[in-house]
């Protein structure tokens, strides 16, 4: 994956392939034993330590961190190869979740690892009763999960971002709340 998290603009996942059918990804909730592996994934996937540092900062913030909504996808050999995270954000005062950052180890990109971990994570969010997910990301990639431009719902970004890159998803088929998104402090977005 290349690019940056929401505070720096959209990113491309690098996992745009539908995946090698021979690869059986095993997405699962992150455990404390995965912390170092998650950091390695982000350090390898991005040009700077920004995303890895963001994950660590979000993990330390009890108002942002949502237990059970940080997922890894293991390769067949048990190597954590992909990571995706949902943290608490708000649309005005209504709770929602922000998908960011997401990363795949370079050797496993374009093999479906990113797709697998994001799909499993969104399903976990549905099961946890979350209603709306927000992402700032690569416009051709995230619609495969059901994301559409957030402006369609009347959801506004906290900064001037391209409409096609700032997207939202109803996790429970209800109409998402209208308003401006407020991210966790760790994102550094005013």
């Amino acid at each position: 994956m290349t690019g940056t998290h929401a505070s720096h603009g959209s990113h491309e996942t690098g996992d745009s392939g539908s995946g090698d059918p021979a690869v059986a990804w095993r997405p699962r909730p992150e455990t404390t034993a995965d912390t170092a592996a998650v950091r390695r994934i982000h350090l390898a996937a991005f040009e700077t330590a920004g995303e890895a540092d963001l994950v660590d900062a979000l993990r330390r913030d009890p108002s942002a961190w949502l237990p059970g909504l940080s997922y890894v996808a293991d390769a067949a050999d048990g190597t954590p190869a992909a990571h995706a995270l949902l943290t608490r954000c708000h649309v005005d005062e209504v709770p929602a979740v922000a998908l960011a950052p997401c990363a795949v180890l370079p050797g496993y990109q374009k093999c479906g690892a990113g797709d697998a971990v994001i799909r499993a994570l969104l399903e976990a969010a549905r099961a946890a009763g979350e209603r709306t997910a927000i992402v700032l990301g690569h416009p051709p990639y995230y619609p495969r999960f059901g994301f559409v431009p957030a402006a369609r719902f009347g959801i506004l970004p906290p900064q001037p971002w391209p409409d096609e890159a700032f997207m939202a998803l109803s996790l429970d088929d209800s109409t998402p709340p209208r308003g401006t998104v407020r991210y966790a402090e760790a994102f550094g977005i005013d």
Side-chain angles (χ1 to χ4, degrees):
M1 292 181 4
T2 58
T4 58
H5 59 78
S7 65
H8 295 115
S10 64
H11 70 270
E12 183 171 337
T13 64
D15 192 37
S16 60
S18 60
D20 179 347
V23 176
W25 297 108
R26 295 186 311 245
R28 61 177 175 78
E30 172 190 339
T31 68
T32 54
D34 296 315
T35 302
V38 166
R39 184 162 179 84
R40 279 192 302 274
I41 291 167
H42 288 278
L43 289 172
F46 292 97
E47 296 173 9
T48 71
E51 280 69 25
D53 293 346
L54 174 61
V55 172
D56 291 343
L58 289 166
R59 193 179 277 120
R60 290 187 302 267
D61 181 352
S63 67
W65 189 258
L66 299 169
L69 293 183
S70 178
Y71 263 56
V72 295
D74 291 334
D77 67 0
T79 301
H83 175 253
L85 174 63
L86 287 167
T87 55
R88 178 63 64 217
C89 69
H90 292 83
V91 179
D92 281 345
E93 298 304 315
V94 180
V97 290
L99 176 60
C102 305
V104 178
L105 286 173
Y108 292 100
Q109 291 177 4
K110 300 193 187 283
C111 296
D115 278 12
V117 75
I118 291 170
R119 287 185 194 287
L121 179 61
L122 292 172
E123 195 53 44
R126 283 183 185 95
E130 296 295 339
R131 300 185 64 195
T132 305
I134 305 294
V135 69
L136 174 64
H138 196 57
Y141 184 72
Y142 288 97
R144 73 184 65 194
F145 306 107
F147 284 95
V148 298
R152 290 188 193 173
F153 298 118
I155 299 173
L156 305 172
Q159 296 179 348
W161 293 330
D163 284 345
E164 67 275 6
F166 184 65
M167 296 173 264
L169 167 67
S170 173
L171 294 167
D172 65 357
D173 295 325
S174 67
T175 301
R178 299 173 64 86
T180 302
V181 173
R182 183 171 36 92
Y183 286 90
E185 187 176 318
F187 283 94
I189 301 168
D190 295 327

